[in-house]
C-alpha cells in the first residue's frame, strides 16, 4: 500500500525526475514511484514546475498537505469526474459511429447538418454539433431553410420529368439542346437555365449518346488533279447556297454488308441539301447527291463545293458535273480530316443518333428507312447549336425573312 508520508528528499527527487524527463507524464512517474497521481502533481506544483497536459479540474490539485478524509473526498470527486468524461466519450463514439455513413455522401457539410437533424431527438444538438465540428447557428440556419430546399427539390423533379420526355424523343440530346427544347415558346418567367438542366440531368444520370469511333472511307486517288482549298477550314457563310461541304460515310447493315451515304451540306445553316444512298462507292454516288442539291436549291452556280481527296471527288465525271452546274471545286490537304471537319462531324452525329451505340442496322432496308427519317428530322426539327438551337430550315427561313425586311 502507498505510504502516507514522504520525506522532503523523496519529494524533491520525484519532482526532479519529472522535470528532467520531457516525455514523461505524471501518471507514468507516479506509477513508477508508487504514489498517487494527485500527490505527485501537488509536489510538482509546489516546486513551481509546470505540469505538461495539466487537467483543468481542480480535483487534481490537492493542497500541500491533506488529511485522509480530505484525500478520500477529493478522490471520490475525481472518480465522478472521470465517470462523466467516460460517459461523454462513449456518447461521442456512438455519435461518430452513427455518422460514419453520412460522411460518404457528396456534400460533407450538408451531410453533417442532415445527421444532426436526423438525430436531434436522440442526442443534444449542442453535443452533436461539437462532435461533428459545426456551429449550432449554422445548423439552425440550414434547418430554417429546409422548406425552401424541399420546394426546389420538388421543382427539380418536375423539371426532370420534362427532361425525360424530351430525352425519350431523342436520346442523342444533351443539356444544351434539351434546354432549347424546353424554352421554345416559353414565357420569360418559365424559361430554365442550361446549367440547371445539366445539373438535373447529371444527378439523375440522363445522358446523351456518345460518339463512336468512325471507320475511314476516304481513299485518295494519287493520280487525281490538284484542286485548291478555297475554305481553309472556315466553315461559315453569310448566306445559304454559298459554301457546301461533302463526304461519304459507310452505313453498316450486318453480315458484313454496307450502304454508303454521300452528303452535300450548306455551311450557312448546316442543312443537308442533297444526299444519295447506294450499296457502292462509285462516282455516281456523289454525283447523284450533287444533282439532288441542285434540284433543292434550283441552282448552285457560283457556290463552292468542298470535299476530301477521295477517288470519287477527283473523278472526271465529278469534275464535269461541277463545271456544268457552275460549282467551284475545293479540296483540303490529303489525309487531313480537319480540312473537312464539318462533314466529318455531320457523319459522326448521324451515326451516334441513329445507331444509339449499336454496331449497325439489321439490314439495308432498315438502314435506308432510319437514315431517311433522321435526315428529314435533322433538317426540319432537330435543334442545331450553330443555328441558335433552331432547325437548319428554320434558320434559313429566318434569314430569308430578315433579308426581305431589310430590302423593304
Amino acid at each position: 500500500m502507498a505510504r502516507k508520508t514522504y520525506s522532503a528528499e523523496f519529494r524533491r527527487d520525484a519532482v526532479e525526475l519529472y522535470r528532467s524527463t520531457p516525455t514523461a507524464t505524471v501518471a507514468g512517474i507516479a506509477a513508477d514511484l508508487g504514489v498517487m497521481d494527485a500527490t505527485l502533481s501537488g509536489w510538482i506544483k509546489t516546486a513551481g514546475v509546470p505540469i505538461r497536459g495539466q487537467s483543468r479540474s481542480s480535483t487534481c490539485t490537492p493542497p500541500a498537505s491533506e488529511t485522509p478524509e480530505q484525500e478520500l473526498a477529493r478522490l471520490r470527486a475525481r472518480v465522478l469526474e472521470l465517470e462523466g468524461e467516460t460517459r461523454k466519450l462513449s456518447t461521442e463514439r456512438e455519435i461518430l459511429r452513427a455518422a460514419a455513413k453520412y460522411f460518404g455522401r457528396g456534400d460533407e457539410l450538408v451531410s453533417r447538418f442532415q445527421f444532426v437533424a436526423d438525430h436531434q431527438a436522440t442526442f443534444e444538438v449542442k453535443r452533436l454539433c461539437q462532435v461533428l465540428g459545426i456551429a449550432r447557428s449554422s445548423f439552425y440556419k440550414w434547418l430554417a431553410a429546409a422548406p425552401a430546399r424541399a420546394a426546389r427539390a420538388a421543382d427539380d423533379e418536375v423539371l426532370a420529368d420534362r427532361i425525360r420526355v424530351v430525352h425519350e424523343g431523342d436520346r442523342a440530346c444533351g443539356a444544351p439542346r434539351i434546354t432549347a427544347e424546353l424554352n421554345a415558346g416559353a414565357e420569360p418567367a418559365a424559361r430554365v437555365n442550361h446549367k440547371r438542366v445539366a445539373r438535373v440531368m447529371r444527378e439523375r444520370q440522363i445522358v446523351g449518346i456518345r460518339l463512336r469511333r468512325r471507320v475511314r472511307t476516304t481513299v485518295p486517288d494519287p493520280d487525281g488533279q490538284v484542286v485548291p482549298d478555297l475554305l481553309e477550314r472556315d466553315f461559315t457563310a453569310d448566306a445559304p447556297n454559298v459554301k457546301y461541304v461533302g463526304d461519304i460515310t459507310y452505313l453498316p447493315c450486318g453480315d458484313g454488308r454496307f450502304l454508303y451515304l454521300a452528303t452535300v451540306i450548306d455551311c450557312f445553316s448546316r442543312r443537308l441539301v442533297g444526299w444519295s444512298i447506294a450499296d457502292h462507292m462509285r462516282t455516281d454516288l456523289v454525283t447523284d447527291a450533287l444533282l439532288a442539291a441542285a434540284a433543292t436549291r434550283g441552282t448552285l452556280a457560283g457556290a463552292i463545293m468542298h470535299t476530301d481527296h477521295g477517288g470519287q471527288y477527283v473523278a472526271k465525271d465529278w469534275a464535269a458535273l461541277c463545271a456544268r452546274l457552275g460549282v467551284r471545286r475545293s479540296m483540303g490537304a490529303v489525309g487531313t480530316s480537319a480540312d473537312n471537319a464539318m462533314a466529318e462531324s455531320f457523319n459522326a452525329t448521324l451515326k451516334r443518333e441513329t445507331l444509339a451505340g449499336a454496331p449497325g442496322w439489321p439490314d439495308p432496308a432498315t438502314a435506308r428507312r432510319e437514315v431517311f427519317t433522321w435526315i428529314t428530322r435533322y433538317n426540319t426539327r432537330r435543334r442545331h447549336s450553330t443555328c441558335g438551337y433552331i432547325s437548319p430550315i428554320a434558320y434559313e427561313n429566318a434569314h430569308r425573312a430578315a433579308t426581305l425586311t431589310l430590302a423593304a
Side-chain angles (χ1 to χ4, degrees):
M1 184 174 179
R3 292 175 293 173
K4 300 297 182 180
T5 58
Y6 304 92
S7 66
E9 182 179 0
F10 181 90
R11 293 196 296 270
R12 186 170 57 251
D13 290 340
V15 171
E16 180 59 21
L17 177 62
Y18 175 80
R19 186 195 65 78
S20 61
T21 312
T23 59
T25 63
V26 172
I29 291 181
D32 292 340
L33 297 178
V35 301
M36 299 295 295
D37 298 0
T39 301
L40 178 58
S41 296
W43 297 344
I44 294 172
K45 290 181 178 179
T46 300
V49 177
I51 296 178
R52 297 180 290 271
Q54 180 182 13
S55 169
R56 291 178 292 180
S57 173
S58 60
T59 60
C60 292
T61 311
S65 61
E66 60 182 357
T67 65
E69 292 79 10
Q70 291 173 329
E71 182 181 17
L72 179 61
R74 176 177 55 77
L75 292 176
R76 284 175 175 172
R78 179 58 176 164
V79 168
L80 292 175
E81 178 183 355
L82 292 174
E83 287 177 347
E85 291 181 357
T86 299
R87 286 193 298 272
K88 175 183 175 182
L89 292 174
S90 178
T91 301
E92 292 180 354
R93 184 168 56 251
E94 187 176 352
I95 290 172
L96 291 173
R97 186 182 298 113
K101 63 181 180 180
Y102 282 72
F103 295 160
R105 301 178 183 177
D107 190 326
E108 184 177 332
L109 181 59
V110 171
S111 297
R112 293 185 184 203
F113 287 154
Q114 188 63 56
F115 176 81
V116 175
D118 293 346
H119 293 79
Q120 58 182 332
T122 306
F123 305 101
E124 293 182 350
V125 171
K126 178 180 179 181
R127 173 62 60 202
L128 288 166
C129 292
Q130 286 177 342
V131 172
L132 298 182
I134 58 177
R136 273 187 293 170
S137 59
S138 299
F139 165 71
Y140 285 120
K141 287 180 180 178
W142 177 87
L143 194 63
R149 285 198 305 276
R152 286 195 298 271
D155 289 344
D156 282 351
E157 196 55 46
V158 172
L159 176 60
D161 290 339
R162 296 174 61 199
I163 290 172
R164 290 189 185 99
V165 171
V166 178
H167 189 254
E168 285 295 328
D170 183 1
R171 292 186 176 275
C173 283
R177 280 202 284 141
I178 288 180
T179 303
E181 187 69 29
L182 294 175
N183 289 336
E187 296 294 330
R191 293 175 65 84
V192 61
N193 184 272
H194 70 280
K195 293 182 180 179
R196 184 184 174 201
V197 172
R199 174 180 59 80
V200 171
M201 292 179 65
R202 182 172 59 252
E203 291 172 350
R204 289 155 179 81
Q205 298 182 343
I206 303 173
V207 295
I209 300 168
R210 302 184 183 278
L211 287 172
R212 295 176 57 85
R213 293 183 62 184
R214 70 181 297 273
V215 175
R216 182 170 178 259
T217 57
T218 300
V219 181
D221 183 355
D223 298 326
Q225 65 185 82
V226 177
V227 176
D229 184 351
L230 302 179
L231 297 192
E232 296 182 346
R233 300 188 184 180
D234 178 11
F235 302 109
T236 61
D238 297 329
N241 204 23
V242 175
K243 293 180 184 178
Y244 293 94
V245 297
D247 196 12
I248 300 174
T249 190
Y250 77 105
L251 307 175
C253 302
D255 297 328
R257 295 174 296 175
F258 293 93
L259 292 179
Y260 301 93
L261 170 68
T263 56
V264 179
I265 308 166
D266 194 304
C267 291
F268 172 75
S269 62
R270 274 36 177 189
R271 178 181 178 181
L272 185 60
V273 180
W275 72 90
S276 176
I277 299 177
D279 59 1
H280 61 80
M281 286 201 301
R282 296 191 295 270
T283 306
D284 292 349
L285 179 67
V286 296
T287 56
D288 287 347
L290 189 61
L291 287 171
T296 300
R297 290 303 194 196
T299 178
L300 297 178
I304 296 173
M305 182 65 200
H306 183 83
T307 66
D308 56 28
H309 280 260
Q312 301 84 354
Y313 294 115
V314 297
K316 293 180 180 179
D317 288 348
W318 170 259
L321 179 60
C322 288
R324 179 160 61 87
L325 296 176
V327 173
R328 300 164 60 196
R329 298 170 63 201
S330 172
M331 286 185 176
V334 175
T336 305
S337 60
D339 286 351
N340 201 23
M342 200 180 91
E344 300 276 358
S345 176
F346 175 89
N347 294 338
T349 300
L350 182 151
K351 291 182 183 179
R352 180 189 67 207
E353 299 187 6
T354 52
L355 290 175
W361 291 271
D363 53 70
T366 302
R368 283 180 180 273
R369 182 176 63 253
E370 293 189 0
V371 170
F372 176 80
T373 301
W374 183 87
I375 288 173
T376 301
R377 182 183 177 279
Y378 172 87
N379 279 335
T380 59
R381 292 186 51 215
R382 184 184 181 278
R383 299 179 183 277
H384 203 298
S385 58
T386 304
C387 301
Y389 288 102
I390 61 176
S391 70
I393 289 181
Y395 190 67
E396 288 188 0
N397 291 339
H399 172 79
R400 187 177 300 107
T403 302
L404 293 175
T405 300
L406 291 176

